[in-house]
Amino acid sequence: MGRVEGKVALVTGAARGQGRSHAVRLAEEGADVVVTDVCHDISDELPYPLASKEQLEETAELVRATGRRCVAVQADVRSVGEMRVAVDAAREEFGRLDTLVANAGVMSIGAAWELSEEAWDVVMDVNLKGPWNAVRAAIPWMIEAGQGGSVIITSSAAGIRGHVPYAHYVASKHGVVGLMKALSNELAPHRIRVNTVHPTGVSDTGITVGVPIEELAEREPLFALAAMNPLAPYVEPRDVSNAVLFLASDEARYVTGLQFTVDAGSTNKP
């Protein structure tokens, strides 16, 4: 216990799924947490409803139930201004920020040449521009504080391999790897580490593709192949949270520029 005792983390996309799990897991190990989510639907091109204000507050209550403090901020990662409001909340409430978990993400499906411009843009804006905005908001203060820190960006097994049928999602998740690699070099002089986590399919995230997985697998044989993990069909949010916890902790003080897979063997299979 206490692996991140005294630290403060900001987690985006925290109203449910992986983001909620990350916030709670960090709190269990001693961190105070700022949680954010957009809390309303942002595009008809996404085939599922986004999380609500009530779910974000539920996350905050789960964090508080561990005995740690939590601030919930409704914020859209597509806006650097709203990300700065979240960072300011960390500054005002806790006086420091040690860990940024840029987790917010969305997805939809479709052949690359058939995707609408809006479908492409909303996925890229949330999944790639979103982490950049979070970094733009958090890093200046982290550098000024001079205490080092950790930035953890949620990528995917699709950030390593060419999964189908969602080229825009694959491009966004590859894109955050490039962002991570560049940032890990830029921020090393400030003792700020930057890494990505790469889950395979994760249970209980609230994200769907709009059709039953079995139907999609029958329609898209390459999707079915990508979804076949050697160890298990999927992982649970807490499995990914344990990787986030390690990267946030001082146990990972010399770990930077890493693509950390939590994929049940997905990206290593023949």
Side-chain angles (χ1 to χ4, degrees):
M1 298 295 291
R3 293 165 67 189
V4 287
E5 188 74 37
K7 295 185 185 293
V8 174
L10 190 159
V11 183
T12 70
R16 65 187 181 192
Q18 291 183 65
R20 171 179 286 184
S21 178
H22 301 341
V24 172
R25 189 73 186 97
L26 290 165
E28 288 174 345
E29 293 288 343
D32 294 320
V33 189
V34 176
V35 294
T36 78
D37 214 300
V38 66
C39 299
H40 61 80
D41 292 340
I42 59 175
S43 172
D44 291 339
E45 292 290 346
L46 298 177
Y48 55 90
L50 299 187
S52 66
K53 293 180 184 179
E54 291 76 17
Q55 287 175 304
L56 183 61
E57 188 52 43
E58 286 172 9
T59 297
E61 288 302 322
L62 288 169
V63 169
R64 293 173 189 136
T66 70
R68 306 309 306 179
R69 292 182 291 165
C70 187
V71 176
V73 180
Q74 184 177 348
D76 188 338
V77 295
R78 297 175 300 170
S79 164
V80 68
E82 294 188 25
M83 285 294 94
R84 286 174 176 147
V85 169
V87 170
D88 286 345
R91 185 197 298 262
E92 293 166 9
E93 183 71 20
F94 306 121
R96 62 185 295 158
L97 180 62
D98 304 278
T99 301
L100 170 64
V101 185
N103 167 78
V106 295
M107 74 178 302
S108 60
I109 62 172
W113 58 94
E114 294 175 344
L115 291 167
S116 71
E117 188 169 350
E118 182 181 348
W120 177 276
D121 286 347
V122 71
V123 167
M124 296 298 287
D125 283 351
V126 174
N127 295 4
L128 181 53
K129 185 179 180 182
W132 177 57
N133 279 338
V135 165
R136 291 169 70 198
I139 289 301
W141 184 35
M142 293 174 74
I143 290 173
E144 180 185 338
Q147 298 175 328
S150 176
V151 175
I152 304 154
I153 305 174
T154 301
S155 182
S156 167
I160 296 173
R161 306 185 78 164
H163 289 180
V164 296
Y166 31 77
H168 51 339
Y169 182 80
V170 171
S172 71
K173 294 302 187 179
H174 275 72
V176 296
V177 173
L179 178 64
M180 173 273 288
K181 289 182 175 182
L183 285 171
S184 68
N185 290 324
E186 290 185 11
L187 294 175
H190 304 285
R191 295 184 297 112
I192 298 172
R193 301 173 292 104
V194 190
N195 299 283
T196 46
V197 290
H198 296 256
T200 184
V202 181
S203 65
D204 191 28
T205 63
I207 294 176
T208 68
V209 295
V211 297
I213 294 297
E214 297 77 13
E215 178 183 328
L216 182 60
E218 184 175 351
R219 194 170 81 200
E220 297 280 357
L222 289 178
F223 171 83
L225 182 64
M228 293 173 59
N229 304 324
L231 278 177
Y234 55 83
V235 300
E236 297 177 4
R238 192 171 178 90
D239 296 311
V240 188
S241 299
N242 286 332
V244 168
L245 171 62
F246 167 71
L247 293 171
S249 76
D250 291 340
E251 297 163 23
R253 62 180 181 160
Y254 296 132
V255 179
T256 195
L258 174 69
Q259 294 170 252
F260 195 139
T261 58
V262 188
D263 66 356
S266 172
T267 56
N268 184 58
K269 67 178 183 287

